[in-house]
Amino acid sequence: MSAPQNRRSTFLGRMSLPERNFIADTLRAETVGGVLLLAASVVALIWANTLSGSYESVRDFHLGPASLGLDLSIQHWAANGLLAVFFFVAGIELKRELVAGELRDPKAAALPVIAAVCGMAMPALVYVVVNAIGGGSMEGWAVPTATDIAFALAVLAVIGTSLPSALRAFLLTLAVVDDLFAILIIAVFFTSKINFLALGFAFVGLGVFYLLLRKGVRGWYIYLPLALVIWALMENSGVHATIAGVAMGLMLRCSRRDGEEHSPGEHIEHLVRPLSAGLAVPLFALFSAGVSISGGAVHEVFTRPETLGVVLGLIVGKALGIFGGTWVTARFTKAELNPDLKWPDVFAVASLAGIGFTVSLLIGELAFTEDLELADEIKASVLIGSLLAAVFAGILLKVRNNKYRGLWEEEERDEDQDGIPDIYEQDKPEYHLRMAAILEAKAAEHRRLAEVAADARTGDDGPA
């Protein structure tokens, strides 16, 4: 008797229907936010390059209570305040992935996690190599490590490609893991002076937040003021204030109990995501993406080691890191690629992940706070690198767009019109009985029309 063969798992295979629907709703909101992000970035660039004086005046205008340590510039409010909302949603996404999504099974999670880690390590390595050769500053090694899912989805919307849900879900999972490590990088490498008293009170506030959640206390009028206090304490502690958003997002329950259509985390994410994608992130882009793009500035991007390292990290490092990590992990875990897809499809998505806009801009600001001129050049390199990555990925995706469209249409087909794609009902007798009834009704109608046509022809062939 021969030993049973090891079963090979399928990579980028079909998701369950609930997971597919959740991913579709999430990506739909992110796509709209991404289009707004693109628009805000264009407005920022036009504003900064035509009326730079007014742009800088608004961006650097301070407001807020100085007695509470919150007399901040508009740009600071956008980066530390509004992005806390973005990272709050990222925390909920991560929690949901860990308890109910692609990351809940360690074996299944290994591939996207390793791909994401490689997709962050390789851009950092590219940056370090370029700056070691060119004698540049190593401070910006983390800038090209981030992926902006909203911007990537906006690119997909603009170029009109119909990516299958499995590839979109893979991109979203990469971005979630990417956000986690970006948060860790910000917390570990960009925290200098710490006010332990403020940090201690922030942790007390987080403890109260956690206890209220566990006790089942409800009411936005309780949690919103508490969240603002926690954020203000974290801002004064010296730790980047967005960490407070992540921590609160991770505390929400994202597993469903009996009788629940949505978990509390999913419900709150549904409410807050439009605020994050439609307001917080575009406003951050408006006050961070406004850099001078002149011929000299573009020349600097491709000749200065710090900026060249960022561009190459986003274009080359991201694509090679994610694709290489995915391919090697699939080989060692014996995961078979979905037969409907090819490895060039994975490479195209890996290239799309080179769009590192929002978090890359944030890390660029944190890395070069002492050199504002270089910080602006780093921002320009993020814009140019993300644009080139988008163009490169767009070309690769367009080549296979007809194939993608066919797969997408197959996923969406619902001939029995019951609201569930037919591909998920192939093993249900009720579906086939409904389809039989539909086809029989169509056949009866065609027989009737044939008889009508035959009678009409007989009448036409008769005597005048």
Side-chain angles (χ1 to χ4, degrees):
M1 183 175 177
S2 61
Q5 293 183 347
N6 291 332
R7 201 172 194 179
R8 297 174 71 91
S9 59
T10 301
F11 168 52
L12 295 179
R14 189 192 310 164
M15 297 178 291
S16 66
L17 182 59
E19 185 68 10
R20 173 192 175 277
N21 290 339
F22 181 85
I23 293 291
D25 291 341
T26 299
L27 295 180
R28 194 176 298 114
E30 289 287 0
T31 301
V32 174
V35 173
L36 293 174
L37 177 61
L38 280 172
S41 304
V42 171
V43 170
L45 288 171
I46 294 173
W47 188 4
N49 285 274
T50 56
L51 300 168
S52 60
S54 66
Y55 179 81
E56 292 171 0
S57 297
V58 174
R59 183 190 63 188
D60 299 333
F61 181 77
H62 279 62
L63 70 157
S67 59
L68 298 179
L70 297 177
D71 182 19
L72 311 175
S73 68
I74 296 293
Q75 184 180 20
H76 196 126
W77 276 110
N80 287 30
L82 292 177
L83 279 196
V85 179
F86 166 79
F87 278 109
F88 174 71
V89 173
I92 300 175
E93 285 180 343
L94 177 61
K95 180 68 173 289
R96 187 193 171 279
E97 287 289 327
L98 289 170
V99 301
E102 295 292 310
L103 303 180
R104 71 185 184 280
D105 180 4
K107 291 182 179 179
L111 198 149
V113 169
I114 292 174
V117 171
C118 292
M120 298 188 78
M122 185 60 74
L125 180 61
V126 169
Y127 179 93
V128 168
V129 170
V130 170
N131 282 271
I133 296 173
S137 170
M138 295 296 178
E139 296 296 321
W141 64 270
V143 175
T145 60
T147 294
D148 193 311
I149 183 66
F151 215 136
L153 292 171
V155 170
L156 291 179
V158 169
I159 65 176
T161 188
S162 304
L163 270 189
S165 57
L167 283 175
R168 289 177 180 261
F170 180 58
L171 182 61
L172 178 61
T173 305
L174 286 175
V176 169
V177 179
D178 191 289
D179 286 341
L180 169 64
F181 284 101
I183 292 159
L184 293 175
I185 287 172
I186 291 170
V188 173
F189 294 99
F190 297 104
T191 298
S192 51
K193 297 178 181 179
I194 297 180
N195 182 333
F196 287 100
L197 181 61
L199 185 61
F201 278 118
F203 278 115
V204 171
L206 288 170
V208 173
F209 190 88
Y210 178 81
L211 288 175
L212 291 174
L213 289 172
R214 290 300 167 267
K215 293 293 183 180
V217 176
R218 296 185 178 183
W220 65 267
Y221 46 84
I222 296 174
Y223 289 102
L224 183 58
L226 179 58
L228 292 174
V229 170
I230 294 170
W231 175 87
L233 288 167
M234 194 69 75
E235 170 68 22
N236 280 277
S237 72
V239 177
H240 201 270
T242 53
I243 304 300
V246 178
M248 287 184 279
L250 286 170
M251 290 180 184
L252 294 175
R253 177 170 63 82
C254 293
S255 55
R256 299 177 188 177
R257 293 175 180 170
D258 292 340
E260 286 185 340
E261 185 177 354
H262 301 289
S263 67
E266 291 172 330
H267 176 66
I268 292 173
E269 181 186 7
H270 178 73
L271 295 175
V272 179
R273 182 180 291 280
L275 176 64
S276 169
L279 182 66
V281 175
L283 281 178
F284 167 76
L286 180 63
F287 294 110
S288 292
V291 295
S292 175
I293 303 294
S294 61
V298 173
H299 179 265
E300 285 285 328
V301 166
F302 290 100
T303 55
R304 187 162 185 166
E306 294 90 349
T307 50
L308 181 61
V310 170
V311 172
L312 293 179
L314 290 172
I315 300 172
V316 179
K318 272 290 183 182
L320 294 182
I322 292 174
F323 179 79
T326 303
W327 187 82
V328 170
T329 307
R331 293 274 297 188
F332 279 100
T333 58
K334 298 182 179 180
E336 291 182 339
L337 183 65
N338 181 346
D340 291 328
L341 299 171
K342 305 296 180 185
W343 281 107
D345 300 323
V346 180
F347 185 76
V349 172
S351 302
L352 191 63
I355 300 173
F357 191 75
T358 305
V359 180
S360 290
L361 289 176
L362 176 62
I363 294 177
E365 290 180 1
L366 297 174
F368 297 102
T369 53
E370 303 300 324
D371 190 341
L372 297 181
E373 182 180 349
L374 180 54
D376 280 346
E377 292 176 0
I378 288 292
K379 288 182 183 180
S381 68
V382 169
L383 294 173
I384 292 173
S386 297
L387 176 62
L388 292 176
V391 171
F392 180 54
I395 293 171
L396 295 178
L397 292 169
K398 269 297 186 182
V399 170
R400 292 268 290 167
N401 195 43
N402 288 337
K403 177 67 174 179
Y404 297 150
R405 188 172 297 279
L407 293 174
W408 182 81
E409 289 174 352
E410 182 67 21
E411 290 178 357
E412 296 294 319
R413 185 176 293 115
D414 182 19
E415 293 186 350
D416 62 341
Q417 298 182 348
D418 65 343
I420 300 174
D422 296 339
I423 198 170
Y424 288 96
E425 298 187 292
Q426 297 301 312
D427 59 343
K428 295 180 179 180
E430 305 84 22
Y431 162 74
H432 293 288
L433 291 173
R434 284 196 301 272
M435 287 304 302
I438 291 171
L439 294 175
E440 286 167 2
K442 288 183 177 179
E445 177 64 13
H446 281 292
R447 280 193 291 269
R448 186 188 68 79
L449 293 174
E451 291 173 359
V452 171
D455 290 343
R457 175 178 289 183
T458 301
D460 290 340
D461 292 342

